[in-house]
Amino acid sequence: MRELDAALLTETVARLCIQANLRLPEDVKERIQAARQEEDWPVARNILDNIMENYSIGGEVPICQDTGMACVFLEVGQEVHIRGDVTQAVNEGVRRGYEEGYLRKSVVRDPLDRVNTGDNTPAMITYELVPGDKVTVTVAPKGFGSENMSRIAMLKPSDGAEGVKNFIVDTVEQAGPNPCPPIVVGVGVGGTFDKCALLAKKALLRPLGQPSPLPFYQAMEAELLERINALGIGPQGFGGRTTALAVHIETLPTHIAGLPCAVNINCHVTRHMTEVI
Amino acid sequence: MARHITAPLTPETARSLRAGESVLLSGTVYTARDAAHKRLCALVAEGKPLPFPIEGSVIYFVGPSPARPGQPIGSAGPTTSYRMDAYSPTLLALGQLGMIGKGKRSKEVIDAMVKAGAVYFGAIGGAGALLAKCGQASQLVCSEGPAPDAIRRLEVENLPLTVVIDSTGANLYETGRAAYLAWRKQEK
């Protein structure tokens, strides 16, 4: 059994919170550059140029002022024993990262009394047990302009693939300019109500441009991207081709009576940073 | 070429702006998000004075990230505007002439804008680092609660904006999309 001090988890989370908010991942940059080449509408090209200039500034200023709620994914190897309170260690990492990185504190302690916690805690943590003696830590700060445009539907099995596709396209069309297009569309299909939503969020962690390994869903992703980019919403909703950068679909087995479908929207600042400890 | 305009706005300038126009805004704007708008409207309801001159004012829907020492402001892109829809008509009726944000507005807000001769600008959502470069100085006007929800007086220089909804009610979110789709149809 490998021994790991929870303090190491704190340091890692703090570092990842800062890095994720200051630097856009290369796959996202590459996808935005490719979209700029494909864009045929002048207003839209202009916006994409500004977006590229924004992430190139880099350094000390967060790419977006909404430095998000800290979504932390922990894949914990079964052969690791973590000394200390894991949840506390992660929250301490968020606290330090958001303070040291001059990141915005955007979390309220209760959804209705709305008092800011002042340190961006608690993190939204997802734990997963995996084989091995390593811990994979992913921090994905999630802005709420796009989170607010996300939806879930408990579709009927008879709705089938068409029902799923229409729900996804309709969600993007309803969102329009609100989630800061161009967007990344994370989709979960199947599972239960809760697991379906989690799948949609995890779909946003997949590197952009990496299609589903399942041929059926790979084709569906390509078809949906084309349909969404024919809506005409465009960057910032001012019109144009580039409404979405990618559609990622993740699936799970589900019940004979159900067809859950969750759509988690992310903006062009699709941030995530991973480290293995 | 983008047109240079100054905040606070004159009624003439506000009425002359057209949806789709690019502008560079310099001057004084006030930052306010949901909680700040709620406080402003509560002051109006109580008949109390507002913490800044509302006539001709431009409110930027933004909660900047904390400024590093020596910097006037942190990352400062727009937040989604529809959350301010419940409050904007009250402030527009008092003479506010400009709003900066991103995303759709309600019919009630657009009606209030037409009545007031006001304009709604879009800043690029997610481009907070770029927009921060236009911030010259920032001063706290009113703070109850944590930093993102504070009202700040912000001096800006050449803030790049697009007129999304003008004082006639014309809306770039509708016309821009329609123009692109019409062009695309013609191309095919």
Side-chain angles (χ1 to χ4, degrees), chain A residues 86-145:
Chain A
V86 177
T87 304
Q88 272 182 28
V90 169
N91 282 325
E92 182 56 28
V94 169
R95 192 173 289 123
R96 277 192 215 167
Y98 275 72
E99 192 55 39
E100 288 166 17
Y102 290 84
L103 307 178
R104 199 180 77 183
K105 288 80 183 173
S106 316
V107 177
V108 292
R109 68 178 184 188
D110 178 280
L112 292 178
D113 86 4
R114 311 213 61 89
V115 176
N116 197 301
T117 61
D119 58 9
N120 219 54
T121 67
M124 294 291 112
I125 311 174
T126 305
Y127 299 98
E128 214 172 308
L129 278 175
V130 295
D133 65 353
K134 300 276 193 285
V135 178
T136 304
V137 187
T138 298
V139 175
K142 186 67 172 77
F144 260 55

Side-chain angles (χ1 to χ4, degrees), chain A residues 15-275:
Chain A
R15 188 168 53 243
L16 292 177
C17 284
I18 297 172
Q19 285 177 356
N21 275 299
L22 298 185
R23 266 173 254 141
L24 203 59
E26 288 303 318
D27 57 289
V28 181
K29 290 185 190 173
E30 281 166 20
R31 190 62 201 94
I32 293 172
Q33 284 157 20
R36 168 65 179 79
Q37 295 304 315
E38 293 158 15
E39 182 57 68
D40 40 22
W41 195 239
V43 179
R45 280 207 291 263
N46 216 348
I47 300 285
L48 292 172
D49 284 340
N50 281 312
I51 285 172
M52 283 157 63
E53 192 185 337
N54 181 64
Y55 69 60
S56 305
I57 291 171
E60 297 191 328
V61 186
I63 308 161
C64 177
Q65 78 291 336
D66 185 354
T67 51
M69 221 174 170
C71 296
V72 178
F73 297 84
L74 290 181
E75 288 174 32
V76 183
Q78 291 170 10
E79 310 300 321
V80 192
H81 172 240
I82 303 173
R83 279 192 310 269
D85 186 313
V86 177
T87 304
Q88 272 182 28
V90 169
N91 282 325
E92 182 56 28
V94 169
R95 192 173 289 123
R96 277 192 215 167
Y98 275 72
E99 192 55 39
E100 288 166 17
Y102 290 84
L103 307 178
R104 199 180 77 183
K105 288 80 183 173
S106 316
V107 177
V108 292
R109 68 178 184 188
D110 178 280
L112 292 178
D113 86 4
R114 311 213 61 89
V115 176
N116 197 301
T117 61
D119 58 9
N120 219 54
T121 67
M124 294 291 112
I125 311 174
T126 305
Y127 299 98
E128 214 172 308
L129 278 175
V130 295
D133 65 353
K134 300 276 193 285
V135 178
T136 304
V137 187
T138 298
V139 175
K142 186 67 172 77
F144 260 55
S146 54
E147 193 75 355
N148 281 338
M149 295 297 115
S150 304
R151 295 201 300 181
I152 188 161
M154 302 307 279
L155 300 172
K156 299 184 296 293
S158 63
D159 292 327
E162 279 313 303
V164 166
K165 286 188 277 190
N166 291 340
F167 177 68
I168 296 164
V169 175
D170 186 56
T171 301
V172 172
E173 188 162 21
Q174 293 297 319
N178 291 2
C180 297
I183 56 173
V184 177
V185 186
V187 180
V189 186
T192 47
F193 182 82
D194 53 327
K195 293 287 180 192
C196 187
L198 181 59
L199 272 184
K201 173 131 287 119
K202 285 170 104 172
L204 296 172
L205 301 178
R206 195 204 294 166
L208 294 194
Q210 183 183 307
S212 165
L214 307 168
F216 180 81
Y217 290 100
Q218 192 173 358
M220 192 186 277
E221 288 175 351
E223 183 194 333
L224 282 167
L225 186 60
E226 204 166 313
R227 270 180 70 178
I228 287 167
N229 284 338
L231 290 173
I233 296 167
Q236 296 299 305
F238 296 163
R241 183 183 193 281
T242 318
T243 301
L245 297 169
V247 179
H248 291 169
I249 304 174
E250 298 290 331
T251 63
L252 268 181
T254 191
H255 189 275
I256 48 171
L259 178 52
C261 179
V263 182
N264 195 191
I265 296 184
N266 213 351
C267 60
H268 56 89
V269 186
T270 289
R271 297 162 289 198
H272 48 85
M273 212 49 99
T274 300
E275 225 175 275

Side-chain angles (χ1 to χ4, degrees), chain B residues 5 8 12 14 34 65 72 78 83 99 107 139 143 158 166 170 185 188:
Chain B
I5 56 169
E12 294 72 34
D34 318 43
S65 66
R83 298 195 318 275
M99 297 171 280
K107 186 177 176 300
Q139 190 190 358
S143 176
N158 294 331
D166 65 28
K185 204 171 164 187
K188 283 190 173 171

